[in-house]
Amino acid sequence: MTRVLIPEAAIQQRVRDLAAEINHTVAGSVDVLILLKGAWIFGADLVRSLARVNAVHFVKAKSYLGSATTPEKICWNWPEELTPHGKTLLILDDILDSGATIKEAKVLAQKAGFQQILSVVLMRKVRADLPLGEADFIGFDIPDLFVLGYGLDHDERYRTLPFIGVLTETLGGT
Ligand code: IMP
Ligand code: MG
């Protein structure tokens, strides 16, 4: 069972507001990089409210959770043909947890030749430890819980839910 954490209407409103914030703040046009799979729906919604988009790129990033002693490992499927259409890249991810994904994406984007790199996440988990990377634009700060829906999965399920939910088991069966 899932419990709604962020309702559909609140997501839609915040995505529009985020786009307005980005349109207002970022001078000139942007290339957009959508991190798959989790950010596919957020990306599809956000780009349609962005004013000046040169190109939309997609990269698959899969994180394998480490243990207390081994750090998280991220497997990138970075396409060779990802070449800048403009100077500025806006990286889009679903959620910032440890911050490792955003941090590595920024390094790879720099190597690909983008001069200015910005990032936006729909959610940021508020954790006890310091994040490894930060995003320039943040949709929602959320508690440190496993969330799903609106593109995010749990073992490939729940991606098509229109809201952000929490598995009730992670809430102790309530
Ligand atoms: P980070 O590298 O630790 O910041 O983790 C970011 C990535 O982990 C995101 O792009 C998600 O794919 C995944 N992730 C982190 N937390 C969650 C969650 O609560 N639900 C689903 N995916 C998550
Ligand atoms: Mg992801």
Side-chain angles (χ1 to χ4, degrees):
M1 289 285 287
T2 56
R3 196 156 92 181
V4 178
L5 184 70
I6 311 173
E8 183 177 2
I11 298 172
Q12 297 304 332
Q13 184 60 55
R14 187 70 187 115
V15 169
R16 279 195 295 271
D17 291 350
L18 266 179
E21 220 178 292
I22 294 165
N23 289 336
H24 182 75
T25 314
V26 183
S29 52
V30 293
D31 281 30
V32 174
L33 177 67
I34 297 175
L35 302 190
L36 300 175
K37 295 179 186 175
W40 64 305
I41 292 180
F42 172 49
D45 281 349
L46 189 83
V47 291
R48 285 179 289 165
S49 296
L50 290 180
R52 299 170 294 274
V53 175
N54 289 321
V56 183
H57 311 277
F58 301 91
V59 160
K60 198 164 172 188
K62 190 165 172 53
S63 20
Y64 299 93
L65 293 184
S67 65
T69 48
T70 54
E72 188 173 310
K73 171 123 185 54
I74 303 160
C75 179
W76 291 93
N77 194 341
W78 195 277
E80 300 243 329
E81 70 278 12
L82 202 162
T83 47
H85 285 227
K87 279 194 306 201
T88 306
L89 179 71
L90 178 69
I91 299 170
L92 252 117
D93 204 5
D94 49 0
I95 188 162
L96 192 140
D97 187 5
S98 72
T101 303
I102 283 288
K103 187 180 169 206
E104 286 194 19
K106 284 180 184 172
V107 173
L108 291 167
Q110 216 160 12
K111 283 188 186 153
F114 290 99
Q115 288 166 34
Q116 187 192 20
I117 298 155
L118 298 164
S119 54
V120 54
V121 293
L122 177 68
M123 293 170 283
R124 174 174 64 179
K125 281 192 195 177
V126 177
R127 297 175 25 148
D129 53 346
L130 274 179
L132 299 167
E134 261 302 352
D136 300 289
F137 303 94
I138 292 152
F140 298 94
D141 271 325
I142 62 161
D144 191 4
L145 294 169
F146 192 84
V147 293
L148 40 80
Y150 194 66
L152 290 86
D153 73 309
H154 178 253
D155 210 8
E156 291 304 325
R157 292 182 63 207
Y158 307 104
R159 287 194 196 276
T160 55
L161 291 177
F163 56 86
I164 295 291
V166 181
L167 285 178
T168 47
E169 298 91 88
T170 56
L171 295 173
T174 53

